[in-house]
Amino acid sequence: MMQIPMVDLKTQYHHVKQEIDRAILDVVENTAFINGPAVKEFQSALEQYMGVKHVIPCANGTDALQIAMMALDLKPGDEVITTSFTFVATVEVIALLQLTPVLVDALPGTYNIDPVALEKAITPKTKAIVPVHLFGQCADMESIMQIANKHNLAVIEDNCQAVGAHYTMNDGSRHQAGTMGHVGTTSFFPSKNLGCYGDGGAMFTNDDALAEKLRMIANHGMKVRYYHDSIGVNSRLDTIQAAVLNIKLKHLDTYIANRQHAAAYYDKAFANHPKLTIPARDPKSTHVFHQYTLVLNGVDRKELQAKLQEKGIASMVYYPVPMHMQKAYMDARYKEGDFPVTEELSHNVISLPMHTELTEEQLAYVVDGVLEAVAND
Ligand SMILES: *Cc1c(COP(=O)(O)O)cnc(C)c1O
């Protein structure tokens, strides 16, 4: 029986082992553990790849969001709008900074934030919007930037899942995900599309003044050593992680192509199936498939997962509980039923194995496993 995990970082490592081992050993030999040359190298390489003026590396994707919100001078009580269908980090940092998270519903096809609901949620206290490019596809940035400009709001793109995706605006301009808002954030968590061998993150901006501020806040609020101009944090990308990322960035486009190949295979197998809905594509965005996520129609998800597991096929539910139904974020403002699309998705989505190393044989095995399991459900 085959075993198909959600991600296969081991096989990926073995394909680039020589390069990676050499890069890591080099850092160790030079004991350049903190802010070593590989960090600057990676920063420049990623600036070039992203077509953005400034990349500011930091310790993880959650820090990136927090530092971005600190740099935008948001004040306690300011409202920040984001989607209820996301990973907790997005909402967590808003709450930690004593800002008010204002949640809105997602769209049923792309699972990304609904721009109509977003605009309706704006009040005089609203200061920022955090669109999440969920599962690897850009949110409706055309509408979001229009709304933000109209209401004078900052946009922080949570790009933890969509590094390498492109978005085409109505004026024909093409942008990397994470470079359209005032600041973009990402994570290099190992399983992310551009992942390192531990924790890592970065922020993106084209604004020189904002870049300086982001860099300062990530470094204890100091520009000159031991002179602290603002309250900051300690958030650095390790040199060893930067060395790994320098290698992985060179392979990113191939990795994305492999993910897209797997997604196309799944699409072909599941399109038009009465019990399965494949992920919708926004024609303005490319999709880099951090996850391949189906919506089940009248299938018992737990049973399906158990049947897949019996065949050695992994599956996951991203995300089983919407943010407005989480114990930590439950609030008198929200109740069950407020965000019907998000709630429906949280009950019926299922993510299949998706990574850079899937073979045709493995894809065929997953497809057969899923089709067989739903056929006699
Ligand atoms: C992974 C992720 C984060 C957090 O990144 P970490 O590096 O784990 O802190 C934030 N938002 C989204 C949407 C993510 O997927």
Side-chain angles (χ1 to χ4, degrees):
M1 187 176 73
M2 282 202 226
Q3 290 292 334
I4 322 267
M6 289 300 288
V7 294
D8 185 356
L9 293 172
K10 193 163 183 165
T11 306
Q12 191 195 61
Y13 165 60
H14 281 248
H15 285 144
V16 289
K17 179 173 161 48
Q18 272 193 333
E19 282 177 282
I20 295 264
D21 289 0
R22 197 180 323 119
I24 292 175
L25 274 177
D26 195 48
V27 176
V28 177
E29 283 290 350
N30 290 304
T31 64
F33 301 116
I34 303 292
N35 290 334
V39 178
K40 267 262 152 56
E41 246 169 72
F42 174 63
Q43 180 188 311
S44 306
L46 192 58
E47 280 165 357
Q48 194 146 35
Y49 181 90
M50 302 281 299
V52 72
K53 252 173 116 176
H54 304 281
V55 166
I56 300 97
C58 66
N60 57 68
T62 309
D63 276 8
L65 284 163
Q66 178 177 334
I67 295 163
M69 285 181 210
M70 289 170 79
L72 290 168
D73 288 328
L74 303 179
K75 307 240 164 13
D78 286 351
E79 292 178 0
V80 179
I81 304 177
T82 192
T83 165
S84 187
F85 195 58
T86 182
F87 178 61
V88 69
T90 326
V91 180
E92 186 176 66
V93 297
I94 300 172
L96 260 179
L97 294 172
Q98 297 186 329
L99 311 171
T100 305
V102 173
L103 301 171
V104 300
D105 211 352
L107 293 167
T110 62
Y111 325 133
N112 273 321
I113 191 166
D114 178 348
V116 174
L118 190 170
E119 188 159 26
K120 279 195 195 135
I122 293 172
T123 76
K125 287 186 175 171
T126 307
K127 291 289 150 57
I129 307 169
V130 188
V132 181
H133 303 317
L134 202 69
F135 302 151
Q137 182 171 229
C138 291
D140 180 351
M141 290 305 289
E142 183 79 43
S143 306
I144 291 166
M145 293 314 293
Q146 255 171 34
I147 293 165
N149 291 336
K150 185 167 135 197
H151 298 270
N152 198 23
L153 305 174
V155 174
I156 302 164
E157 293 175 72
D158 182 340
N159 193 32
C160 288
Q161 302 188 1
V163 169
H166 285 94
Y167 190 86
T168 308
M169 292 282 181
N170 283 347
D171 66 6
S173 60
R174 199 158 185 260
H175 307 264
Q176 280 272 355
T179 66
M180 290 168 275
H182 298 84
V183 48
T185 63
T186 201
S187 164
F188 306 122
F189 186 83
S191 63
K192 298 283 156 97
N193 285 30
L194 179 58
C196 58
Y197 289 179
D199 278 305
M203 295 159 280
F204 316 114
T205 186
N206 284 307
D207 178 329
D208 296 341
L210 188 57
E212 193 176 337
K213 218 158 158 187
L214 292 164
R215 206 161 267 129
M216 183 174 83
I217 292 170
N219 185 28
H220 295 296
M222 70 184 179
K223 270 185 268 185
V224 178
R225 194 175 266 204
Y226 306 128
Y227 290 81
H228 305 276
D229 298 340
S230 70
I231 297 177
V233 296
N234 173 26
S235 189
R236 290 182 287 244
L237 179 66
D238 268 19
T239 311
I240 287 182
Q241 301 310 335
V244 170
L245 288 164
N246 272 324
I247 311 285
K248 292 251 245 160
L249 181 59
K250 288 185 210 147
H251 299 278
L252 181 58
D253 286 337
T254 308
Y255 291 156
I256 290 172
N258 292 355
R259 287 174 181 274
Q260 289 170 334
H261 174 80
Y265 194 104
Y266 285 150
D267 271 352
K268 197 161 165 237
F270 303 136
N272 307 316
H273 193 289
K275 293 181 184 171
L276 306 170
T277 304
I278 63 171
R281 310 297 204 280
D282 181 340
K284 287 185 184 152
S285 179
T286 60
H287 199 320
V288 295
F289 290 97
H290 175 58
Q291 299 297 343
Y292 185 89
T293 303
L294 293 166
V295 181
L296 303 172
N297 316 309
V299 176
D300 185 319
R301 185 169 65 187
K302 272 221 170 78
E303 248 175 61
L304 171 60
Q305 287 196 279
K307 284 180 191 164
L308 292 176
Q309 195 174 7
E310 276 170 31
K311 296 180 196 293
I313 302 168
S315 66
M316 289 290 280
V317 174
Y318 304 113
Y319 297 94
V321 183
M323 286 307 120
H324 69 285
M325 300 302 294
Q326 295 285 355
K327 200 167 147 197
Y329 301 101
M330 263 203 246
D331 190 297
R333 290 172 302 156
Y334 303 116
K335 59 182 186 313
E336 191 165 4
D338 281 353
F339 305 124
V341 175
T342 296
E343 288 169 32
E344 170 82 13
L345 289 173
S346 65
H347 290 131
N348 291 314
V349 285
I350 186 167
S351 298
L352 299 180
M354 171 52 75
H355 56 79
T356 59
E357 312 300 319
L358 283 161
T359 63
E360 298 276 317
E361 196 190 5
Q362 290 173 322
L363 288 165
Y365 186 76
V366 174
V367 161
D368 287 351
V370 171
L371 290 177
E372 199 180 299
V374 297
N376 40 39
D377 185 84

